[in-house]
């Protein structure tokens, strides 16, 4: 399993006992340090944490059974490249799992709040997306949607998609 944007490693740690190996990445060295410490405390040795952004990750093509992008897509400047990277790294028949805050669906007022927070260094880059737009982008990258649903105040889109087992 590959997880982009793992933060403090909570998802990787939760899933580690159910998979052979997890490679979890985040752009923040501080987050990765916390994640490594948490995994050590849990006695987990099948998680590899690395500081990396999506573009910078070096891994063999088709080397993962599953790629996770949880609470990440709406924070990426180049979503298309990130989805292509996930496609490239995923084995045929493998799963792409994502959750994405779709701020344009329910939280449009954040368009005025977040820029102020960005000016004072308290918010990252943010895309204001709609759920149908995210679904189209994931499917446009070649993934086949297996299931999707929205939930919560920010209308987070959860999506389970698959890279076709055979080229189309």
């Amino acid at each position: 399993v590959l997880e982009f944007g793992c933060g403090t490693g909570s998802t990787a740690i939760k899933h580690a006992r159910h998979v052979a190996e997890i490679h979890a990445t985040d752009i923040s060295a501080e987050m990765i340090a916390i994640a490594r410490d948490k995994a050590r405390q849990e006695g987990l040795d099948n998680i590899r944490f690395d500081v990396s952004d999506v573009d910078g990750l070096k891994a063999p093509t088709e080397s993962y059974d599953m790629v996770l992008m949880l609470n990440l897509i709406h924070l990426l400047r180049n979503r298309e490249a990130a989805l292509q990277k996930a496609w490239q790294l995923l084995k045929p028949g493998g799963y792409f799992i994502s959750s994405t805050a779709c701020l344009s669906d329910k939280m449009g007022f954040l368009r005025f709040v977040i820029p102020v927070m960005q000016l004072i260094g308290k918010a990252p880059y943010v895309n204001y997306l709609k759920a149908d737009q995210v679904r189209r982008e994931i499917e446009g990258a070649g993934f086949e949607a297996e299931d999707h649903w929205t939930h919560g105040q920010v209308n987070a889109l959860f999506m389970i998609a698959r890279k076709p087992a055979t080229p189309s």
Side-chain angles (χ1 to χ4, degrees):
V1 176
L2 170 63
E3 181 181 8
F4 285 115
C6 71
T8 61
S10 296
T11 300
I13 290 167
K14 184 178 245 358
H15 292 96
R17 289 180 174 82
H18 306 286
V19 300
E21 181 181 336
I22 296 180
H23 183 191
T25 68
D26 198 275
I27 62 170
S28 169
E30 292 82 7
M31 293 288 196
I32 292 296
I34 293 167
R36 287 178 178 149
D37 187 53
K38 286 168 58 176
R40 247 188 318 275
Q41 289 176 25
E42 294 284 328
L44 298 169
D45 61 0
N46 64 331
I47 308 174
R48 184 174 88 229
F49 290 105
D50 286 316
V51 177
S52 178
D53 62 4
V54 175
D55 295 333
L57 181 68
K58 304 294 185 234
T61 299
E62 298 184 348
S63 56
Y64 294 98
D65 297 304
M66 183 177 291
V67 174
L68 307 174
M69 284 189 184
L70 306 175
N71 299 309
L72 181 67
I73 292 173
H74 63 288
L75 302 175
L76 299 173
R77 291 184 189 275
N78 191 340
R79 297 184 308 278
E80 182 179 349
L83 292 171
Q84 287 304 314
K85 181 75 165 204
W87 173 269
Q88 171 194 1
L89 296 174
L90 197 58
K91 293 176 184 175
Y95 285 95
F96 175 74
I97 312 293
S98 65
S99 65
T100 307
C102 297
L103 301 175
S104 282
D105 284 334
K106 287 191 177 178
M107 306 281 285
F109 71 90
L110 289 176
R111 285 184 186 269
F112 306 104
V113 175
I114 290 177
V116 173
M117 294 173 62
Q118 290 168 328
L119 283 173
I120 59 173
K122 298 296 182 186
Y125 173 84
V126 176
N127 287 294
Y128 300 90
L129 305 170
K130 292 184 171 285
D132 60 340
Q133 175 186 4
V134 176
R135 279 196 317 271
R136 282 193 311 270
E137 288 179 11
I138 290 171
E139 291 170 347
F143 294 104
E144 297 173 347
E146 297 231 336
D147 200 2
H148 61 45
W149 62 96
T150 56
H151 179 291
Q153 188 175 9
V154 298
N155 206 46
L157 171 68
F158 295 85
M159 191 158 178
I160 300 169
R162 193 169 205 167
K163 181 176 181 177
T166 56
S168 44

